[in-house]
Amino acid sequence: MNQSSFAVTRFENRNGVISWRVDGRLHGVRIRKNFKTREEAIAEKATQELKALQADAGIQSATTFLSEEQLREAETAFNRLKEKPRSLSFYLDYALTNYREPETQRLLADAVADYTAAKQHEREQDQISESHLVFMKRDLNRFVRSFPKATVAELTAERLINYFNLGKPSLKTYNNRRGIVSTFLKFAFQRGWISENPIAKVPHHRIRRKRGAVATLSTAKAAELMAAVEALDGGRFVPFFALCLFAGIRPCLRTGEILRLKPEDVNLETGFIFVSADVSKVREPRKVTIQPNLIAWLKAYPPTDERPIVPKNLQHVRARIAKAHGLSHDIMRHTFISMFVAKFRSIGEAAIQAGNSEAIIRKHYLDMKSQTEAEEFFGIMPKKPAGEEEPKPMPAAA
């Protein structure tokens, strides 16, 4: 530390003129200056002592064009770089070369609209499936509703994690939400709407799959279900439930294969249901063998223009039936696959019939049902004989 002190003394020159002298040392160098007045000498003494204090604190005075705020920012920058191996100029050059400001502060709603339009174009080119497009739009609409006034650049990892955890979802639902938003944010990054993708800081959950975890119906419950459907509104809803339960057609009323399956795809003469690539969820065509009991159901209640596979008002009717018979989302399809594996003991054939991989069949559907129960399941028959004409309403009395 500099032990600097300055003194002001009265000094008489040879010509008899009185001066005031400032005398002291700074950094080991003697400083001695004369002034006409005592006030000027005291001011210089204060200046020299301030320089000594600044030197002790590592503060230096300099002439600069920078404002006070800019000087403080420069000091902060140098302090942050004390332990860094490179100079401030190096890091500044790197930032100027590599950093790009977002081209525009794009509203999330507008960005999602552009993204879904691009995905719609991909759908028209047959690059993605209709079911995937519907699922993606539904999730992104929910995403926009959660951030109605936000720009894409305002999305942070913390905000995304809070959104993915809304409603305490399962790990699979969390991962599904993350996957949809991740693909959208990659699109936004490519458009320059964000300079960094926050999804990289959002964790992806690893899910341990349990073998045989799917829910299924027992043969008795399946028989009760079909009896109730047959008795409802003249059997108008039989084709939908029979095809989902006894052929494993994906039953979702928003994106399922059953929505796109046409009556002409069900050929009782050849004994096959043709699920085209446009109908299939996995975009691969397949032929499903129509089991003898399904033939009986479809002959008794054949799909027609008057009795379409997906009748009007089915969504509300299905909701009531699901509540009464404990139907979860895919339980009819799961039941078919489990029963098929049990009856025919062929994982490969079950994968072909259901449009799944053998690994999925082995992991979730093997040894869930006995062969005896499976035989009984595929023996569930309608009460109405095949081909029997439905009773016509009596004419109104005159």
Side-chain angles (χ1 to χ4, degrees):
M1 184 174 184
N2 293 299
Q3 301 295 328
S4 303
S5 62
F6 290 83
V8 176
T9 58
R10 187 174 182 276
F11 176 75
E12 184 177 351
N13 295 293
R14 292 179 181 178
N15 59 5
V17 176
I18 301 301
S19 298
W20 295 89
R21 174 171 291 177
V22 177
D23 193 2
R25 290 182 177 276
L26 181 63
H27 304 309
V29 177
R30 183 172 184 179
I31 295 176
R32 186 169 60 183
K33 294 182 179 181
N34 295 336
F35 296 90
K36 292 181 179 181
T37 66
R38 186 172 184 273
E39 288 74 15
E40 290 176 326
I42 290 174
E44 178 64 19
K45 175 179 180 291
T47 299
Q48 295 299 331
E49 289 178 342
L50 177 61
K51 288 182 179 179
L53 290 173
Q54 289 176 334
D56 290 341
I59 299 174
Q60 300 179 23
S61 62
T63 303
T64 177
F65 292 107
L66 298 179
S67 67
E68 185 71 20
E69 183 179 352
Q70 290 171 332
L71 282 171
R72 298 288 82 80
E73 185 174 2
E75 289 172 351
T76 301
F78 276 107
N79 285 333
R80 292 177 63 184
L81 293 175
K82 281 182 179 178
E83 307 298 328
K84 301 295 181 181
R86 304 281 187 173
S87 67
L88 175 60
S89 296
F90 172 84
Y91 294 108
L92 178 60
D93 289 341
Y94 182 85
L96 291 174
T97 302
N98 295 281
Y99 180 75
R100 293 291 182 271
E101 286 284 354
E103 294 176 5
T104 178
Q105 294 298 315
R106 189 73 167 166
L107 282 174
L108 178 60
D110 295 338
V112 166
D114 287 351
Y115 176 69
T116 53
K119 289 298 179 181
Q120 181 66 50
H121 181 64
E122 290 183 13
R123 171 69 192 114
E124 292 168 0
Q125 294 181 321
D126 203 31
Q127 295 180 7
I128 60 175
S129 67
E130 182 67 25
S131 59
H132 174 75
L133 181 64
V134 171
F135 180 78
M136 180 207 70
K137 285 182 176 179
R138 187 184 67 212
D139 257 36
L140 288 178
N141 286 338
R142 187 191 304 114
F143 185 50
V144 170
R145 289 196 299 271
S146 297
F147 306 99
K149 297 182 180 179
T151 64
V152 186
E154 291 173 334
L155 297 175
T156 63
E158 182 180 4
R159 298 181 79 179
L160 292 176
I161 291 171
N162 289 338
Y163 166 72
F164 297 150
N165 282 314
L166 284 177
K168 298 181 180 179
S170 66
L171 296 183
K172 185 176 186 298
T173 299
Y174 174 100
N175 285 347
N176 288 343
R177 290 176 181 176
R178 185 187 182 281
I180 292 293
V181 173
S182 175
T183 308
F184 161 71
L185 288 175
K186 289 178 183 177
F187 178 87
F189 181 77
Q190 291 169 354
R191 293 299 187 277
W193 300 333
I194 51 176
S195 57
E196 181 182 359
N197 193 339
I199 203 70
K201 299 179 181 178
V202 177
H204 180 278
H205 292 304
R206 182 178 180 183
I207 303 173
R208 182 180 179 183
R209 301 290 184 183
K210 294 183 178 179
R211 181 174 174 270
V214 296
T216 61
L217 296 172
S218 66
T219 296
K221 290 292 185 181
E224 290 177 10
L225 168 65
M226 291 308 299
V229 171
E230 185 177 15
L232 183 63
D233 200 6
R236 188 161 66 96
F237 303 100
V238 165
F240 170 83
F241 284 92
L243 287 167
C244 294
L245 184 61
F246 298 123
I249 306 299
R250 290 180 170 92
C252 179
L253 293 179
R254 288 194 297 263
T255 62
E257 297 170 340
I258 197 71
L259 294 176
R260 299 180 293 278
L261 193 69
K262 299 176 182 178
E264 55 265 30
D265 296 329
V266 183
N267 193 325
L268 298 183
E269 293 184 4
T270 61
F272 291 106
I273 301 167
F274 178 63
V275 181
S276 67
D278 290 335
V279 173
S280 171
K281 175 186 175 181
V282 294
R283 301 180 59 72
E284 294 180 357
R286 70 180 189 274
K287 285 184 176 181
V288 182
T289 302
I290 305 176
Q291 299 301 317
N293 72 321
L294 180 55
I295 291 177
W297 282 99
L298 295 178
K299 283 186 175 181
Y301 302 95
T304 62
D305 293 337
E306 291 75 24
R307 188 191 288 115
I309 294 175
V310 181
K312 293 180 179 179
N313 201 37
L314 174 61
Q315 187 169 358
H316 300 292
V317 172
R318 188 192 184 284
R320 294 201 304 269
I321 294 176
K323 185 176 181 180
H325 295 273
L327 301 186
S328 56
H329 174 64
D330 261 351
I331 195 168
M332 292 189 289
R333 172 177 164 79
H334 294 163
T335 301
F336 164 77
I337 300 174
S338 301
M339 296 293 187
F340 189 97
V341 172
K343 180 178 180 179
F344 297 101
R345 307 305 299 170
S346 173
I347 292 175
E349 186 60 28
I352 293 172
Q353 296 282 317
N356 280 111
S357 68
E358 291 190 25
I360 291 294
I361 300 294
R362 184 182 299 277
K363 182 179 292 184
H364 296 294
Y365 301 100
L366 185 63
D367 295 332
M368 289 189 65
K369 302 291 183 181
S370 68
Q371 191 167 9
T372 300
E373 185 179 11
E375 293 286 355
E376 294 173 355
F377 173 80
F378 286 108
I380 298 173
M381 292 289 187
K383 292 182 179 179
K384 176 185 172 184
E388 180 180 297
E389 292 291 331
E390 294 187 28
K392 296 181 180 180
M394 294 291 292

PDB file of all heavy atoms in Angstrom, residues 75-95:
ATOM      1  N   GLU A  75     -15.999  -2.525 -16.934  1.00  0.00           N
ATOM      2  CA  GLU A  75     -15.355  -3.037 -15.725  1.00  0.00           C
ATOM      3  C   GLU A  75     -15.937  -4.399 -15.335  1.00  0.00           C
ATOM      4  O   GLU A  75     -15.205  -5.317 -14.960  1.00  0.00           O
ATOM      5  CB  GLU A  75     -15.539  -2.036 -14.585  1.00  0.00           C
ATOM      6  CG  GLU A  75     -14.731  -0.761 -14.755  1.00  0.00           C
ATOM      7  CD  GLU A  75     -15.083   0.280 -13.702  1.00  0.00           C
ATOM      8  OE1 GLU A  75     -16.068   0.053 -12.963  1.00  0.00           O
ATOM      9  OE2 GLU A  75     -14.391   1.308 -13.609  1.00  0.00           O
ATOM     10  N   THR A  76     -17.281  -4.519 -15.428  1.00  0.00           N
ATOM     11  CA  THR A  76     -17.931  -5.798 -15.110  1.00  0.00           C
ATOM     12  C   THR A  76     -17.455  -6.913 -16.037  1.00  0.00           C
ATOM     13  O   THR A  76     -17.187  -8.043 -15.611  1.00  0.00           O
ATOM     14  CB  THR A  76     -19.465  -5.655 -15.216  1.00  0.00           C
ATOM     15  OG1 THR A  76     -19.905  -4.643 -14.312  1.00  0.00           O
ATOM     16  CG2 THR A  76     -20.166  -6.962 -14.884  1.00  0.00           C
ATOM     17  N   ALA A  77     -17.321  -6.573 -17.336  1.00  0.00           N
ATOM     18  CA  ALA A  77     -16.877  -7.575 -18.307  1.00  0.00           C
ATOM     19  C   ALA A  77     -15.467  -8.067 -17.987  1.00  0.00           C
ATOM     20  O   ALA A  77     -15.183  -9.272 -18.006  1.00  0.00           O
ATOM     21  CB  ALA A  77     -16.935  -6.986 -19.711  1.00  0.00           C
ATOM     22  N   PHE A  78     -14.564  -7.138 -17.676  1.00  0.00           N
ATOM     23  CA  PHE A  78     -13.184  -7.536 -17.363  1.00  0.00           C
ATOM     24  C   PHE A  78     -13.120  -8.352 -16.073  1.00  0.00           C
ATOM     25  O   PHE A  78     -12.334  -9.307 -15.960  1.00  0.00           O
ATOM     26  CB  PHE A  78     -12.296  -6.298 -17.259  1.00  0.00           C
ATOM     27  CG  PHE A  78     -11.773  -5.821 -18.583  1.00  0.00           C
ATOM     28  CD1 PHE A  78     -12.276  -4.667 -19.162  1.00  0.00           C
ATOM     29  CD2 PHE A  78     -10.807  -6.535 -19.264  1.00  0.00           C
ATOM     30  CE1 PHE A  78     -11.811  -4.235 -20.398  1.00  0.00           C
ATOM     31  CE2 PHE A  78     -10.330  -6.114 -20.494  1.00  0.00           C
ATOM     32  CZ  PHE A  78     -10.836  -4.958 -21.071  1.00  0.00           C
ATOM     33  N   ASN A  79     -13.948  -7.997 -15.090  1.00  0.00           N
ATOM     34  CA  ASN A  79     -13.964  -8.773 -13.845  1.00  0.00           C
ATOM     35  C   ASN A  79     -14.435 -10.205 -14.085  1.00  0.00           C
ATOM     36  O   ASN A  79     -13.937 -11.151 -13.473  1.00  0.00           O
ATOM     37  CB  ASN A  79     -14.873  -8.091 -12.816  1.00  0.00           C
ATOM     38  CG  ASN A  79     -14.228  -6.855 -12.212  1.00  0.00           C
ATOM     39  OD1 ASN A  79     -13.009  -6.761 -12.144  1.00  0.00           O
ATOM     40  ND2 ASN A  79     -15.043  -5.897 -11.807  1.00  0.00           N
ATOM     41  N   ARG A  80     -15.407 -10.389 -14.992  1.00  0.00           N
ATOM     42  CA  ARG A  80     -15.908 -11.732 -15.307  1.00  0.00           C
ATOM     43  C   ARG A  80     -14.868 -12.569 -16.046  1.00  0.00           C
ATOM     44  O   ARG A  80     -14.929 -13.797 -16.039  1.00  0.00           O
ATOM     45  CB  ARG A  80     -17.185 -11.635 -16.144  1.00  0.00           C
ATOM     46  CG  ARG A  80     -18.378 -11.074 -15.387  1.00  0.00           C
ATOM     47  CD  ARG A  80     -19.590 -10.934 -16.282  1.00  0.00           C
ATOM     48  NE  ARG A  80     -20.041 -12.233 -16.774  1.00  0.00           N
ATOM     49  CZ  ARG A  80     -21.037 -12.387 -17.650  1.00  0.00           C
ATOM     50  NH1 ARG A  80     -21.668 -11.330 -18.131  1.00  0.00           N
ATOM     51  NH2 ARG A  80     -21.401 -13.588 -18.038  1.00  0.00           N
ATOM     52  N   LEU A  81     -13.931 -11.890 -16.693  1.00  0.00           N
ATOM     53  CA  LEU A  81     -12.933 -12.614 -17.494  1.00  0.00           C
ATOM     54  C   LEU A  81     -11.626 -12.843 -16.754  1.00  0.00           C
ATOM     55  O   LEU A  81     -10.642 -13.293 -17.358  1.00  0.00           O
ATOM     56  CB  LEU A  81     -12.652 -11.829 -18.787  1.00  0.00           C
ATOM     57  CG  LEU A  81     -13.807 -11.747 -19.790  1.00  0.00           C
ATOM     58  CD1 LEU A  81     -13.422 -10.846 -20.951  1.00  0.00           C
ATOM     59  CD2 LEU A  81     -14.175 -13.128 -20.301  1.00  0.00           C
ATOM     60  N   LYS A  82     -11.588 -12.539 -15.451  1.00  0.00           N
ATOM     61  CA  LYS A  82     -10.335 -12.668 -14.704  1.00  0.00           C
ATOM     62  C   LYS A  82      -9.732 -14.065 -14.797  1.00  0.00           C
ATOM     63  O   LYS A  82      -8.525 -14.237 -14.938  1.00  0.00           O
ATOM     64  CB  LYS A  82     -10.568 -12.315 -13.232  1.00  0.00           C
ATOM     65  CG  LYS A  82     -10.614 -10.820 -12.963  1.00  0.00           C
ATOM     66  CD  LYS A  82     -10.804 -10.548 -11.481  1.00  0.00           C
ATOM     67  CE  LYS A  82     -10.832  -9.051 -11.184  1.00  0.00           C
ATOM     68  NZ  LYS A  82     -11.054  -8.781  -9.739  1.00  0.00           N
ATOM     69  N   GLU A  83     -10.605 -15.108 -14.688  1.00  0.00           N
ATOM     70  CA  GLU A  83     -10.123 -16.498 -14.682  1.00  0.00           C
ATOM     71  C   GLU A  83     -10.164 -17.145 -16.057  1.00  0.00           C
ATOM     72  O   GLU A  83      -9.874 -18.333 -16.197  1.00  0.00           O
ATOM     73  CB  GLU A  83     -10.957 -17.334 -13.699  1.00  0.00           C
ATOM     74  CG  GLU A  83     -11.038 -16.761 -12.292  1.00  0.00           C
ATOM     75  CD  GLU A  83      -9.665 -16.668 -11.633  1.00  0.00           C
ATOM     76  OE1 GLU A  83      -8.816 -17.533 -11.934  1.00  0.00           O
ATOM     77  OE2 GLU A  83      -9.449 -15.731 -10.855  1.00  0.00           O
ATOM     78  N   LYS A  84     -10.560 -16.374 -17.068  1.00  0.00           N
ATOM     79  CA  LYS A  84     -10.673 -16.935 -18.409  1.00  0.00           C
ATOM     80  C   LYS A  84      -9.335 -16.875 -19.135  1.00  0.00           C
ATOM     81  O   LYS A  84      -8.521 -15.963 -18.915  1.00  0.00           O
ATOM     82  CB  LYS A  84     -11.735 -16.194 -19.214  1.00  0.00           C
ATOM     83  CG  LYS A  84     -13.127 -16.218 -18.605  1.00  0.00           C
ATOM     84  CD  LYS A  84     -13.692 -17.623 -18.563  1.00  0.00           C
ATOM     85  CE  LYS A  84     -15.100 -17.630 -17.983  1.00  0.00           C
ATOM     86  NZ  LYS A  84     -15.662 -18.992 -17.911  1.00  0.00           N
ATOM     87  N   PRO A  85      -9.102 -17.831 -20.049  1.00  0.00           N
ATOM     88  CA  PRO A  85      -7.797 -17.879 -20.726  1.00  0.00           C
ATOM     89  C   PRO A  85      -7.660 -16.893 -21.881  1.00  0.00           C
ATOM     90  O   PRO A  85      -6.557 -16.673 -22.374  1.00  0.00           O
ATOM     91  CB  PRO A  85      -7.721 -19.324 -21.246  1.00  0.00           C
ATOM     92  CG  PRO A  85      -9.158 -19.705 -21.464  1.00  0.00           C
ATOM     93  CD  PRO A  85      -9.932 -19.002 -20.370  1.00  0.00           C
ATOM     94  N   ARG A  86      -8.782 -16.305 -22.330  1.00  0.00           N
ATOM     95  CA  ARG A  86      -8.743 -15.417 -23.495  1.00  0.00           C
ATOM     96  C   ARG A  86      -9.075 -13.991 -23.111  1.00  0.00           C
ATOM     97  O   ARG A  86      -9.612 -13.719 -22.044  1.00  0.00           O
ATOM     98  CB  ARG A  86      -9.734 -15.905 -24.560  1.00  0.00           C
ATOM     99  CG  ARG A  86      -9.539 -17.329 -25.008  1.00  0.00           C
ATOM    100  CD  ARG A  86      -8.405 -17.446 -26.003  1.00  0.00           C
ATOM    101  NE  ARG A  86      -8.315 -18.800 -26.553  1.00  0.00           N
ATOM    102  CZ  ARG A  86      -7.506 -19.134 -27.544  1.00  0.00           C
ATOM    103  NH1 ARG A  86      -6.730 -18.228 -28.093  1.00  0.00           N
ATOM    104  NH2 ARG A  86      -7.464 -20.375 -27.985  1.00  0.00           N
ATOM    105  N   SER A  87      -8.811 -13.096 -24.050  1.00  0.00           N
ATOM    106  CA  SER A  87      -9.056 -11.673 -23.805  1.00  0.00           C
ATOM    107  C   SER A  87     -10.516 -11.321 -24.086  1.00  0.00           C
ATOM    108  O   SER A  87     -11.260 -12.090 -24.717  1.00  0.00           O
ATOM    109  CB  SER A  87      -8.153 -10.821 -24.701  1.00  0.00           C
ATOM    110  OG  SER A  87      -8.530 -10.996 -26.066  1.00  0.00           O
ATOM    111  N   LEU A  88     -10.913 -10.135 -23.647  1.00  0.00           N
ATOM    112  CA  LEU A  88     -12.264  -9.646 -23.918  1.00  0.00           C
ATOM    113  C   LEU A  88     -12.506  -9.533 -25.418  1.00  0.00           C
ATOM    114  O   LEU A  88     -13.587  -9.883 -25.915  1.00  0.00           O
ATOM    115  CB  LEU A  88     -12.464  -8.285 -23.246  1.00  0.00           C
ATOM    116  CG  LEU A  88     -13.798  -7.576 -23.531  1.00  0.00           C
ATOM    117  CD1 LEU A  88     -14.972  -8.427 -23.062  1.00  0.00           C
ATOM    118  CD2 LEU A  88     -13.823  -6.209 -22.865  1.00  0.00           C
ATOM    119  N   SER A  89     -11.522  -9.093 -26.160  1.00  0.00           N
ATOM    120  CA  SER A  89     -11.673  -8.951 -27.615  1.00  0.00           C
ATOM    121  C   SER A  89     -11.941 -10.295 -28.280  1.00  0.00           C
ATOM    122  O   SER A  89     -12.730 -10.395 -29.229  1.00  0.00           O
ATOM    123  CB  SER A  89     -10.419  -8.310 -28.221  1.00  0.00           C
ATOM    124  OG  SER A  89     -10.243  -7.013 -27.739  1.00  0.00           O
ATOM    125  N   PHE A  90     -11.300 -11.362 -27.788  1.00  0.00           N
ATOM    126  CA  PHE A  90     -11.506 -12.688 -28.362  1.00  0.00           C
ATOM    127  C   PHE A  90     -12.970 -13.118 -28.218  1.00  0.00           C
ATOM    128  O   PHE A  90     -13.608 -13.557 -29.183  1.00  0.00           O
ATOM    129  CB  PHE A  90     -10.596 -13.707 -27.676  1.00  0.00           C
ATOM    130  CG  PHE A  90     -10.874 -15.130 -28.072  1.00  0.00           C
ATOM    131  CD1 PHE A  90     -10.319 -15.668 -29.225  1.00  0.00           C
ATOM    132  CD2 PHE A  90     -11.713 -15.937 -27.300  1.00  0.00           C
ATOM    133  CE1 PHE A  90     -10.597 -16.986 -29.592  1.00  0.00           C
ATOM    134  CE2 PHE A  90     -11.996 -17.240 -27.658  1.00  0.00           C
ATOM    135  CZ  PHE A  90     -11.426 -17.770 -28.812  1.00  0.00           C
ATOM    136  N   TYR A  91     -13.510 -12.976 -26.998  1.00  0.00           N
ATOM    137  CA  TYR A  91     -14.884 -13.392 -26.765  1.00  0.00           C
ATOM    138  C   TYR A  91     -15.876 -12.497 -27.501  1.00  0.00           C
ATOM    139  O   TYR A  91     -16.921 -12.957 -27.975  1.00  0.00           O
ATOM    140  CB  TYR A  91     -15.182 -13.405 -25.261  1.00  0.00           C
ATOM    141  CG  TYR A  91     -14.394 -14.458 -24.518  1.00  0.00           C
ATOM    142  CD1 TYR A  91     -13.355 -14.102 -23.676  1.00  0.00           C
ATOM    143  CD2 TYR A  91     -14.677 -15.811 -24.680  1.00  0.00           C
ATOM    144  CE1 TYR A  91     -12.612 -15.071 -23.004  1.00  0.00           C
ATOM    145  CE2 TYR A  91     -13.947 -16.786 -24.018  1.00  0.00           C
ATOM    146  CZ  TYR A  91     -12.905 -16.410 -23.179  1.00  0.00           C
ATOM    147  OH  TYR A  91     -12.181 -17.368 -22.527  1.00  0.00           O
ATOM    148  N   LEU A  92     -15.540 -11.224 -27.638  1.00  0.00           N
ATOM    149  CA  LEU A  92     -16.407 -10.317 -28.381  1.00  0.00           C
ATOM    150  C   LEU A  92     -16.439 -10.690 -29.856  1.00  0.00           C
ATOM    151  O   LEU A  92     -17.507 -10.731 -30.482  1.00  0.00           O
ATOM    152  CB  LEU A  92     -15.912  -8.881 -28.195  1.00  0.00           C
ATOM    153  CG  LEU A  92     -16.697  -7.803 -28.960  1.00  0.00           C
ATOM    154  CD1 LEU A  92     -18.152  -7.791 -28.513  1.00  0.00           C
ATOM    155  CD2 LEU A  92     -16.057  -6.436 -28.748  1.00  0.00           C
ATOM    156  N   ASP A  93     -15.269 -10.981 -30.422  1.00  0.00           N
ATOM    157  CA  ASP A  93     -15.212 -11.394 -31.833  1.00  0.00           C
ATOM    158  C   ASP A  93     -16.011 -12.672 -32.064  1.00  0.00           C
ATOM    159  O   ASP A  93     -16.699 -12.818 -33.082  1.00  0.00           O
ATOM    160  CB  ASP A  93     -13.759 -11.599 -32.267  1.00  0.00           C
ATOM    161  CG  ASP A  93     -12.997 -10.289 -32.381  1.00  0.00           C
ATOM    162  OD1 ASP A  93     -13.663  -9.236 -32.486  1.00  0.00           O
ATOM    163  OD2 ASP A  93     -11.753 -10.317 -32.343  1.00  0.00           O
ATOM    164  N   TYR A  94     -15.906 -13.612 -31.115  1.00  0.00           N
ATOM    165  CA  TYR A  94     -16.642 -14.882 -31.257  1.00  0.00           C
ATOM    166  C   TYR A  94     -18.151 -14.627 -31.254  1.00  0.00           C
ATOM    167  O   TYR A  94     -18.901 -15.191 -32.065  1.00  0.00           O
ATOM    168  CB  TYR A  94     -16.269 -15.827 -30.121  1.00  0.00           C
ATOM    169  CG  TYR A  94     -16.946 -17.180 -30.214  1.00  0.00           C
ATOM    170  CD1 TYR A  94     -16.393 -18.197 -30.987  1.00  0.00           C
ATOM    171  CD2 TYR A  94     -18.149 -17.427 -29.554  1.00  0.00           C
ATOM    172  CE1 TYR A  94     -17.014 -19.431 -31.096  1.00  0.00           C
ATOM    173  CE2 TYR A  94     -18.775 -18.643 -29.659  1.00  0.00           C
ATOM    174  CZ  TYR A  94     -18.211 -19.652 -30.430  1.00  0.00           C
ATOM    175  OH  TYR A  94     -18.847 -20.868 -30.539  1.00  0.00           O
ATOM    176  N   ALA A  95     -18.613 -13.770 -30.334  1.00  0.00           N
ATOM    177  CA  ALA A  95     -20.051 -13.482 -30.253  1.00  0.00           C
ATOM    178  C   ALA A  95     -20.538 -12.791 -31.509  1.00  0.00           C
ATOM    179  O   ALA A  95     -21.605 -13.108 -32.042  1.00  0.00           O
ATOM    180  CB  ALA A  95     -20.337 -12.622 -29.027  1.00  0.00           C
TER     181      ALA A  95
END
